[in-house]
Amino acid sequence: MSILQQVPRNALVWIIICLFALLAPHAGRLPIWILALYVVAVIWRLQVHRGRWSFPSRSVKVAMILSGFVGIYASYGSFIGLEPTVALLLIAFALKLVELSHRKDAYVLLFLGYFICITEFLFSQDLSVTLYALVSVTLVTTALVAIHRPGEQEFRLGTIRVASVMLLQAMPLMIILFFLFPRFGPLWTVPIKSHTAKTGMSDFMKPGDVASLSQSADVAFRVKFDGDIPAKSALYWRGLVFSRIEQGVWSALEFYDLPANQRRPQEVIGDGEPIRYSIIMEPTQQNWLYGLKYARSDTRGVMQTSDFRLFSPVPVETEYMYTVNSWANVAVDEVLSDWRRKTETQLPPTGNAKTRKLSLDLKAKASSDEAFVGLVLDTFRREPYVYTLRPGLLPEQDSIDAFLFQSMRGFCEHYASAFVFMMRAAGVPARVVAGYQGGEINPINKTVIVHQFDAHAWAEVWLASRGWVRVDPTAAVSPQRIEFGLEEAMESEGSFLSTVLLSPLRYRSVPLLNLLRLRYDALTYQWQTWVVGFDNERQFDLLRSFLGETTAKVFAIVLLGSWALVLLPVAISLLFKRDIVPVSPLGKHYRIFCKRLARLDLIRGPGEAPGQFAQRAAKDLPDYAGPLWQITDLYNQLAYADAKLSAANAAKDLQHFARVVSRFRPKRHSAALTKKTEL
């Protein structure tokens, strides 16, 4: 049997379209040789279809498979992990296309295609990814439909209409399963994406790190406040606390670095009503979370460190939603332990001599630690320091001296690092805090969108009777950075997003585009809240709001009842559905002829031959006897013509028959006159 009889041309074209549609969302994270493999696979299969090449032999197939494994190991260094596994699936899809010859091969290929559609959600569950996945599923289903239409050899766009109707029919059941099917754990549980680079804060900081991060327009997280949104100058999102400095690099203390009595935070009593809000974080592959000053979360799995940060025991590998309560004016760590004081005042034994001397001189002039903080900030305000994204390189040795006394140009991490160094040099406990500051307020749904370019670093200083107090030296140098955001502060340096050509943020000056961007972001937030963040707790809360107290029995009844409501009408329609015999174009036109006679009460009986029907009709309509017999003779000639006639002649005769039928329009008075004459 020929290849065309096994896999129709229409189906083959749709399969190739699926091939590239499934590859597209993964293309940016795949080695270039896999993309080349897809092109080679398509060319090979098309050449086989044209009869110019043959299918690969068994030895060639084995060589291709081994080459794929070798290439994966050479590109990723391992077969274990999400990216190597997905790459292997994509290679299998391309290689299966090369040997595609029978319908069973197409089944395997397309079922693998459905599985590849799901893999994109392992990297992102964004709304745009979901919409693209629906397109991919529709294309795979279209190819599956085309396989079951062996008579369709030419490429037909109409095939996608059938697949779309099938998916729309399945949509109600899909929605019910999503909201009611029991959730025993996370929707996606996958290994760490060790090969996926993510933009975000790292667990160490050196001059230049935050500046490079601030040139990214990616969303870090979105925040929804229960009440009014605080002023932008108060939105300091704490994420990391850097208490250790080595060779000019600040790093956070690990859990095992802490003594046993320092691993739990001191008890803090919140004063007054807290600020309550919910955060949806984008994947970071890290454990730390973000919140305002003194944040406590009642979300299961969110924990608090001894330096009052929020963190997750497992890395944040998908969009993660949690709720937080914050108290802005509460005193934190009013009593500082000896170990903590020693840690937060520790500096390398040598280096940056000028900075140390300046610190001691200012400390000698101050009457208290708080006054000393004010003198240092006054120094930043008075001297010609510049806030810039392009501070230039600093030497590895005595980098803080070079910054404070020579370049005097820096970004937030430069000022925070220098400020904390000066505090510690004078014996005042201080540490660097990294996170984000401010955010864009979406007026459509009143959420705060925090982008990567909102990344910021500031300081915390311990003061007697006040505990840890936030001090931002950047505000002394560039107040507009805190009040209005980074873009306003960097206006003199041009658009800091100028390299991000496809970022919608670059076109915020165009009102229509900006409105569309904000509406899409509001829709994305709803998607993350109701779909990505829909876990078992929210599922039971939803059921309780409709059913009250929900037991396992009630849950099962609702689930089965919902399935019945969706599937019962489908079953009934299939039970009473009549078999539909496809009508040929010739039969379609002959039916039009019969319907026009039926309007004159001349109805063709079941099984009545066309000649008998024409004889009876000509007797009742003698004025139309000529056209009646002409149409009947033409129909018999075409219906029983020799099958060896050329397709061109058959099409020409069919068009002539259609024109003759369209001109046949008998009048009622002719029939009435004939019957009257007979009476």
Side-chain angles (χ1 to χ4, degrees):
M1 190 174 290
S2 69
I3 295 173
L4 288 178
Q5 289 174 318
Q6 295 295 327
V7 180
R9 184 188 305 171
N10 185 34
L12 181 61
V13 173
W14 281 112
I15 288 174
I16 293 175
I17 292 174
C18 291
L19 186 85
F20 289 106
L22 296 173
L23 175 69
H26 297 280
R29 63 179 71 98
L30 291 174
I32 189 66
W33 64 268
I34 295 183
L35 306 181
L37 174 65
Y38 268 64
V39 175
V40 171
V42 171
I43 293 175
W44 193 322
R45 187 59 185 83
L46 289 176
Q47 291 295 88
V48 171
H49 176 76
R50 294 171 182 171
R52 299 176 181 176
W53 294 0
S54 60
F55 286 104
S57 62
R58 180 173 297 180
S59 59
V60 173
K61 292 179 185 178
V62 172
M64 286 180 170
I65 294 172
L66 293 177
S67 299
F69 278 99
V70 171
I72 291 294
Y73 190 82
S75 299
Y76 296 100
S78 172
F79 296 116
I80 300 175
L82 185 58
E83 290 83 359
T85 304
V86 172
L88 282 173
L89 285 174
L90 291 167
I91 291 173
F93 194 88
L95 295 182
K96 189 64 181 176
L97 175 69
V98 176
E99 69 162 4
L100 177 65
S101 60
H102 296 83
R103 183 180 290 183
K104 63 180 181 65
D105 297 323
Y107 285 144
V108 173
L109 187 69
L110 294 177
F111 291 154
L112 179 60
Y114 283 119
F115 193 79
I116 292 175
C117 286
I118 300 174
T119 60
E120 177 58 21
F121 290 105
L122 301 177
F123 297 93
S124 174
Q125 297 168 33
D126 189 73
L127 177 60
S128 59
V129 173
T130 304
L131 296 176
Y132 187 84
L134 287 176
V135 174
S136 300
V137 169
T138 303
L139 292 175
V140 176
T141 307
T142 302
L144 198 60
V145 170
I147 290 174
H148 292 83
R149 293 185 168 187
E152 294 182 354
Q153 296 298 334
E154 299 300 326
F155 176 67
R156 291 177 178 269
L157 287 174
T159 313
I160 198 171
R161 183 174 62 251
V162 179
S164 301
V165 171
M166 293 172 60
L167 292 176
L168 287 174
Q169 291 172 339
M171 196 69 70
L173 183 60
M174 181 197 72
I175 294 174
I176 288 176
L177 287 173
F178 177 81
F179 283 104
L180 295 182
F181 194 82
R183 294 174 181 267
F184 302 106
L187 185 61
W188 306 102
T189 303
V190 296
I192 272 190
K193 306 174 184 60
S194 56
H195 300 281
T196 302
K198 287 290 182 181
T199 303
M201 287 288 178
S202 60
D203 55 357
F204 62 89
M205 187 194 78
K206 61 181 183 295
D209 286 349
V210 182
S212 60
L213 188 61
S214 293
Q215 299 183 61
S216 169
D218 294 342
V219 174
F221 52 89
R222 296 176 174 88
V223 188
K224 179 74 172 180
F225 286 90
D226 286 0
D228 295 335
I229 300 175
K232 183 176 290 188
S233 58
L235 297 179
Y236 280 82
W237 308 101
R238 298 175 84 247
L240 284 160
V241 174
F242 299 132
S243 299
R244 181 167 49 196
I245 180 172
E246 294 177 352
Q247 297 180 347
V249 177
W250 291 92
S251 59
L253 295 172
E254 300 290 345
F255 183 76
Y256 53 79
D257 294 329
L258 305 174
N261 61 349
Q262 298 290 326
R263 293 178 178 176
R264 297 178 62 87
Q266 292 185 13
E267 183 178 357
V268 177
I269 300 176
D271 185 17
E273 288 295 322
I275 302 172
R276 185 169 177 82
Y277 50 96
S278 59
I279 295 179
I280 300 180
M281 275 188 60
E282 294 297 314
T284 61
Q285 316 305 329
Q286 306 293 350
N287 298 78
W288 46 86
L289 307 176
Y290 296 92
L292 300 176
K293 181 183 177 181
Y294 188 60
R296 284 199 310 223
S297 176
D298 51 14
T299 300
R300 186 173 59 184
V302 177
M303 306 180 71
Q304 191 181 51
T305 63
S306 60
D307 49 17
F308 303 98
R309 293 180 293 112
L310 298 178
F311 80 100
S312 169
V314 295
V316 180
E317 297 181 344
T318 61
E319 284 87 354
Y320 185 60
M321 181 176 180
Y322 57 100
T323 57
V324 185
N325 290 321
S326 289
W327 287 264
N329 299 319
V330 69
V332 178
D333 264 357
E334 289 185 275
V335 179
L336 198 65
S337 67
D338 293 338
W339 180 88
R340 178 64 69 176
R341 179 180 293 274
K342 179 182 177 182
T343 301
E344 306 294 6
T345 55
Q346 196 168 28
L347 286 176
T350 60
N352 298 296
K354 291 183 179 180
T355 303
R356 294 173 190 263
K357 182 179 184 304
L358 175 62
S359 300
L360 294 176
D361 291 343
L362 292 176
K363 184 66 167 62
K365 299 177 183 178
S367 58
S368 64
D369 291 348
E370 189 170 357
F372 172 57
V373 171
L375 289 176
V376 175
L377 294 179
D378 287 340
T379 302
F380 284 132
R381 294 189 190 97
R382 184 177 63 255
E383 300 297 330
Y385 288 104
V386 177
Y387 180 71
T388 176
L389 278 168
R390 306 179 182 93
L393 296 177
L394 295 174
E396 294 186 4
Q397 297 293 328
D398 299 330
S399 58
I400 295 180
D401 279 357
F403 164 64
L404 289 177
F405 299 98
Q406 295 177 20
S407 72
M408 306 183 77
R409 299 171 57 87
F411 199 56
C412 58
E413 68 266 36
H414 296 83
Y415 292 101
S417 178
F419 179 85
V420 172
F421 191 96
M422 292 179 70
M423 292 293 110
R424 292 190 174 191
V428 178
R431 57 198 184 188
V432 177
V433 181
Y436 298 85
Q437 196 281 322
E440 179 187 16
I441 298 176
N442 189 338
I444 295 175
N445 61 349
K446 305 300 181 184
T447 57
V448 178
I449 310 168
V450 181
H451 298 89
Q452 293 295 349
F453 60 70
D454 293 312
H456 194 55
W458 60 95
E460 286 183 348
V461 179
W462 189 87
L463 300 175
S465 75
R466 295 182 59 187
W468 289 105
V469 177
R470 182 183 70 238
V471 179
D472 191 352
T474 300
V477 179
S478 177
Q480 59 268 37
R481 164 62 183 93
I482 310 305
E483 294 292 334
F484 305 108
L486 181 64
E487 191 170 19
E488 185 80 12
M490 296 290 101
E491 186 175 1
S492 61
E493 296 191 5
S495 175
F496 63 94
L497 292 174
S498 59
T499 58
V500 191
L501 297 178
L502 298 180
S503 172
L505 284 166
R506 193 183 177 198
Y507 309 100
R508 279 183 289 182
S509 58
V510 182
L512 179 59
L513 294 180
N514 193 51
L515 177 62
L516 293 175
R517 178 184 67 86
L518 293 175
R519 288 194 177 277
Y520 178 77
D521 194 89
L523 185 61
T524 298
Y525 181 82
Q526 293 299 323
W527 169 259
Q528 293 175 327
T529 302
W530 286 102
V531 178
V532 178
F534 191 76
D535 54 13
N536 56 347
E537 292 183 3
R538 300 204 65 183
Q539 184 182 53
F540 276 101
D541 290 341
L542 180 65
L543 291 176
R544 289 191 193 99
S545 63
F546 288 101
L547 305 174
E549 189 60 32
T550 305
T551 62
K553 182 178 179 181
V554 172
F555 188 88
I557 292 173
V558 172
L559 182 62
L560 295 176
S562 302
W563 291 1
L565 288 175
V566 174
L567 296 178
L568 190 60
V570 177
I572 293 174
S573 65
L574 292 175
L575 183 64
F576 292 99
K577 185 177 181 180
R578 297 179 180 178
D579 293 334
I580 300 176
V581 179
V583 180
S584 65
L586 177 65
K588 178 181 177 181
H589 293 296
Y590 186 74
R591 285 189 177 187
I592 295 174
F593 165 72
C594 294
K595 287 180 180 179
R596 290 177 178 173
L597 290 175
R599 298 193 190 106
L600 304 179
D601 297 328
L602 291 170
I603 301 174
R604 182 187 176 196
E608 186 176 11
Q612 295 175 342
F613 180 52
Q615 185 177 7
R616 181 163 60 87
K619 183 179 179 180
D620 290 343
L621 297 173
D623 295 344
Y624 294 96
L628 281 168
W629 284 111
Q630 181 187 12
I631 291 174
T632 302
D633 290 341
L634 284 173
Y635 175 76
N636 287 330
Q637 291 175 13
L638 294 174
Y640 303 105
D642 190 346
K644 296 182 180 180
L645 290 176
S646 66
N649 292 335
K652 184 177 180 181
D653 292 339
L654 180 61
Q655 292 177 359
H656 175 64
F657 179 73
R659 286 194 296 269
V660 173
V661 170
S662 65
R663 290 196 296 265
F664 179 72
R665 299 181 182 276
K667 306 295 183 181
R668 290 183 179 275
H669 67 83
S670 299
L673 181 62
T674 302
K675 291 182 179 180
K676 183 177 180 180
T677 303
E678 290 178 351
L679 292 174

